[in-house]
Amino acid sequence: MPSPRPSDPPRPEYPRPQFVREAWLNLNGEWQFEIDRSDTGLERGLRERELDDRIVVPFCPESTLSGIGETDFLEAVWYRRTVTVPEDWADSRVLLHFGAVDHDTTVWADGVEVARHRGGFTPFTADLGEVAVAGQELTLVVRARDSRHGVQARGKQATWYANSHCHYTRTTGIWQTVWLEPVPRAAALGRPRITPDLASGSFHLELPLTANLPGHRVRVTLADDRGEIVTTETRADLDLAPRLVLTVPADRLRPWSPADPHLYDLTLQLLDADGQIVDTATSYAGLRSVSVRGKRLLLNGEPVFQRLVLDQGYYPDGLMTAPTDADLARDIELGLRAGFNGARLHQKVFEERYLYHADRLGYLVWGEFGDWGCETGVRDDNQRPDASYVTQWLEALERDYSHPSIVGWCPLNETYQPLHDRITRLDDVTRAMFLATKQADATRPVIDASGYAHRVAETDVYDSHCYEQDPAAFAKAMSGLAEDRPYVNAAPDGRPWSVPYRGQPYFCSEFGGIWWDPEAAAAAGDQRDASWGYGERPYTEEEFIERFAGLTAVLLDDADMFGYCYTQLTDVFQERNGVYRFDRSEKLDTARLHRAQTRPAAYGNTP
């Protein structure tokens, strides 16, 4: 069924579900807008004057939901709107939050520059300081630059005009919610860092603060549907990020899992020396563990075969932005209906609301970065990601650390540079992103790069991508894992892309991609070339399902394989290899896919 139309304002839900304050102001809706194709707008006075067009935020100008629908290259775009700061915010500092803006952003408030940010996938905040005055009107101006030239983390956005193969329409400028938030001036809570400790039945919290004032304390209350479980507090005048431990009694302990995605509620408070509440927010947490035992990747100490699906997170009318919050939840529900229990969130840092729905629905996900965009065309040194990759990835880790649904991290995907006797920039950045991930999060496994070029010997997980379409040939390719000879991607000329496998947990993290377009399959002649997928195209739905069942059976029957990731959840533009259409409607019998996937896996039956 088609998506419901966005409300007015569009995307009205609170955008940061793990750190919620009661007071906030959604700035989605109509903004002034102007395309600046040659990036000369600053010289031409666009910062100071009214803009010529109108756009619906948070939808990017390439999307139809924005009201613009311009899919040509946009070197720079400008936004402008006025907002009245609520009068009851007089005693607060006002923060201006952007969920994501693609790609290099500068923000002015009443002509004063208040923020610069590089990166199209991660949030940033401008402290409006003395510029924002309660009860008065404030003019916001945003410029976003998005060149198609040079190194830039783009994900699946095409750097040529038309969509082709697995590259899609670009996203420029604001594409996630913009909002204002008041916080206490003297000292305020920062986003909590919540670490589950299933072994001790407790949560470890770090609560960053904007200031440490004499006599201040932090207090945290943990609750479930039966009410309060425990309240803990500690001094807030000694540490930049006070730490607390909340222990769950045995009779209230419910580990988070796909079978029981139980979430605890958290109330966070900052108290002054007189015991008065200075700042308060709410959050939630799931109690679960991820561990490695030989080739086994365990959830809560038990083997859970990961039946993942590749999710690109694109929508026909919103592109990288879901039309409504319900669309984010529906994508997870569609995956579950087809028999998947999780997803690789592919080449994109997804909206945080998606992770909230994954948390509450028990959907296992691997967080990934949209790293494609660092090609140089230089032989054997063909990928040169820069320092901004590490910066943006650390921002993503900070935002998403506390979500229980995330069971692993994947900073890079399908890097494909041969190994040789020179250390390249790709080697440096791959290692930097791996080490940065391990430093930011010691609780989850990390794949140094999914698929092709494993360049970090101590990567926690090893994987491969294989789009062989014949189940017998696929079984032969995957047959060596028990003898520590798994399938490893290599260059077309046979040169290695990866360091040797060292017995880590292993899964085939991309396979399938079976083309299925019922209308094109029924058409005569070259109409079948109007869409794209992997391998020889099936001619009937029955042939598709037989191939799907045969390929998944190879991996389900391998006792050393901890999971797989099938390509993909939905069609995306010309890519017609989803198990659903681009508009999320049915195109085959997903009940049969569910049956093929959900039979017992050999992995779960081994010691």
Side-chain angles (χ1 to χ4, degrees):
M1 60 181 292
S3 304
R5 292 297 85 194
S7 58
D8 186 20
R11 300 303 304 271
E13 63 281 346
Y14 194 86
R16 192 183 58 194
Q18 271 199 316
F19 186 40
V20 178
R21 285 192 174 94
E22 184 176 348
W24 70 295
L25 183 62
N26 191 323
L27 299 186
N28 292 343
E30 185 178 277
W31 289 54
Q32 294 181 30
F33 179 76
E34 193 163 326
I35 295 171
D36 181 9
R37 292 196 187 277
S38 55
D39 191 14
T40 59
L42 191 61
E43 293 90 335
R44 293 186 290 111
L46 267 64
R47 182 179 60 186
E48 290 79 23
R49 68 165 171 82
E50 302 290 304
L51 303 179
D52 291 342
D53 210 339
R54 299 294 183 270
I55 191 170
V56 178
V57 169
F59 303 109
C60 70
E62 291 89 347
S63 72
T64 57
L65 288 178
S66 71
I68 303 294
E70 173 57 80
T71 59
D72 205 346
F73 295 104
L74 306 176
E75 191 72 16
V77 294
W78 290 75
Y79 298 79
R80 182 184 184 93
R81 73 161 289 172
T82 57
V83 58
T84 299
V85 180
E87 291 187 0
D88 59 357
W89 293 7
D91 296 328
S92 302
R93 287 189 303 119
V94 178
L95 304 181
L96 173 61
H97 298 290
F98 293 85
V101 185
D102 198 338
H103 183 266
D104 289 356
T105 310
T106 307
V107 182
W108 295 270
D110 280 350
V112 177
E113 184 179 314
V114 292
R116 292 188 184 188
H117 182 261
R118 169 167 290 175
F121 297 106
T122 47
F124 64 97
T125 298
D127 186 336
L128 299 184
E130 302 307 314
V131 180
V133 179
Q136 295 188 16
E137 197 171 75
L138 180 70
T139 298
L140 303 175
V141 175
V142 178
R143 178 191 61 196
R145 289 166 159 153
D146 191 23
S147 176
R148 62 168 160 156
H149 306 289
V151 169
Q152 180 175 307
R154 308 174 192 277
K156 289 297 191 79
Q157 301 177 63
T159 53
W160 47 88
Y161 175 73
N163 292 351
S164 66
H165 291 82
C166 58
H167 295 268
Y168 318 132
T169 303
R170 292 160 293 283
T171 290
T172 299
I174 297 170
W175 67 277
Q176 288 187 33
T177 292
V178 185
W179 50 294
L180 290 177
E181 176 185 41
V183 299
R185 289 184 180 276
L189 296 166
R191 185 183 183 113
R193 184 180 176 91
I194 307 166
T195 305
D197 183 356
L198 183 60
S200 66
S202 60
F203 292 100
H204 298 251
L205 268 72
E206 295 178 26
L207 278 177
L209 304 172
T210 60
N212 304 110
L213 300 184
H216 275 207
R217 301 181 69 80
V218 289
R219 176 193 295 160
V220 179
T221 298
L222 183 76
D224 60 14
D225 55 5
R226 293 161 56 187
E228 180 180 328
I229 297 173
V230 62
T231 296
T232 302
E233 64 177 72
T234 191
R235 292 175 63 174
D237 59 346
L238 294 177
D239 299 296
L240 287 174
R243 295 175 175 85
L244 304 96
V245 177
L246 297 162
T247 300
V248 183
D251 65 336
R252 307 284 281 275
L253 196 150
R254 284 176 62 185
W256 183 97
S257 72
D260 181 21
H262 176 70
L263 299 174
Y264 293 92
D265 296 320
L266 290 164
T267 302
L268 319 170
Q269 295 175 326
L270 176 63
L271 311 176
D272 65 16
D274 297 323
Q276 299 300 307
I277 297 174
V278 174
D279 192 14
T280 186
T282 59
S283 185
Y284 67 85
L287 188 60
R288 62 103 185 91
S289 69
V290 183
S291 56
V292 171
R293 187 181 304 157
K295 294 178 184 176
R296 300 166 72 69
L297 190 63
L298 306 177
L299 181 71
N300 302 335
E302 300 294 334
V304 175
F305 191 82
Q306 296 188 23
R307 298 168 171 87
L308 309 180
V309 66
L310 199 73
D311 192 342
Q312 310 272 13
Y314 273 76
Y315 301 85
D317 45 6
L319 299 181
M320 287 205 299
T321 311
T324 70
D325 187 58
D327 287 294
L328 295 172
R330 183 176 60 165
D331 282 356
I332 296 171
E333 292 161 354
L334 290 175
L336 293 168
R337 184 188 304 169
F340 301 103
N341 62 5
R344 271 186 69 201
L345 306 183
H346 191 49
Q347 280 299 293
K348 174 187 170 185
V349 179
F350 276 47
E351 298 177 56
E352 193 178 359
R353 294 286 307 185
Y354 177 99
L355 296 176
Y356 160 70
H357 293 301
D359 292 341
R360 68 178 184 83
L361 293 171
Y363 205 55
L364 305 173
V365 300
W366 286 75
E368 188 172 309
F369 184 54
D371 67 293
W372 284 10
C374 59
E375 293 294 325
T376 65
V378 179
R379 184 175 181 270
D380 293 347
D381 192 10
N382 50 289
Q383 291 173 308
R384 297 180 181 178
D386 59 21
S388 73
Y389 275 53
V390 186
T391 304
Q392 295 169 62
W393 181 236
L394 282 168
E395 290 175 338
L397 293 170
E398 179 183 6
R399 192 197 76 174
D400 295 342
Y401 174 88
S402 300
H403 286 283
S405 57
I406 298 178
V407 294
W409 298 113
C410 179
L412 297 167
N413 173 74
E414 288 190 351
T415 50
Y416 60 96
Q417 189 169 285
L419 293 173
H420 46 64
D421 64 352
R422 288 177 291 109
I423 297 175
T424 67
R425 185 181 301 177
L426 179 62
D427 292 312
D428 285 335
V429 173
T430 301
R431 185 159 192 83
M433 295 183 81
F434 176 81
L435 292 176
T437 311
K438 297 299 289 185
Q439 287 293 315
D441 184 1
T443 72
R444 294 178 176 94
V446 182
I447 304 173
D448 58 340
S450 181
Y452 291 177
H454 293 291
R455 310 181 87 81
V456 176
E458 64 269 33
T459 182
D460 295 318
V461 171
Y462 207 101
D463 68 349
S464 67
H465 299 173
C466 182
Y467 285 104
E468 171 60 54
Q469 296 292 297
D470 175 61
F474 186 59
K476 184 176 180 181
M478 291 289 150
S479 64
L481 182 55
E483 291 77 37
D484 288 345
R485 295 181 293 99
Y487 179 81
V488 178
N489 297 111
D493 62 6
R495 285 188 296 168
W497 282 336
S498 296
V499 295
Y501 173 69
R502 304 202 312 179
Q504 299 102 320
Y506 177 98
F507 74 133
C508 184
S509 60
E510 286 187 33
F511 79 107
I514 305 169
W515 180 90
W516 180 239
D517 185 337
E519 289 75 25
D526 61 7
Q527 293 184 55
R528 286 170 53 80
D529 296 327
S531 61
W532 180 79
Y534 289 97
E536 183 180 347
R537 299 168 174 182
Y539 285 83
T540 65
E541 180 177 326
E542 186 66 27
E543 184 182 343
F544 175 99
I545 291 173
E546 287 181 3
R547 189 186 304 178
F548 178 94
L551 294 173
T552 54
V554 169
L555 305 175
L556 285 165
D557 292 340
D558 189 331
D560 292 301
M561 186 84 59
F562 77 81
Y564 57 63
C565 181
Y566 180 82
T567 303
Q568 63 182 327
L569 181 65
T570 73
D571 298 340
V572 185
F573 294 108
Q574 70 284 346
E575 217 178 327
R576 307 292 172 82
N577 51 15
V579 297
Y580 296 95
R581 300 182 193 273
F582 198 13
D583 66 2
R584 276 57 176 176
S585 61
E586 299 274 353
K587 69 171 181 176
L588 52 85
D589 187 353
T590 52
R592 295 183 67 185
L593 303 187
H594 189 281
R595 288 195 296 272
Q597 292 198 83
T598 54
R599 65 176 180 79
Y603 173 75
N605 297 327
T606 55

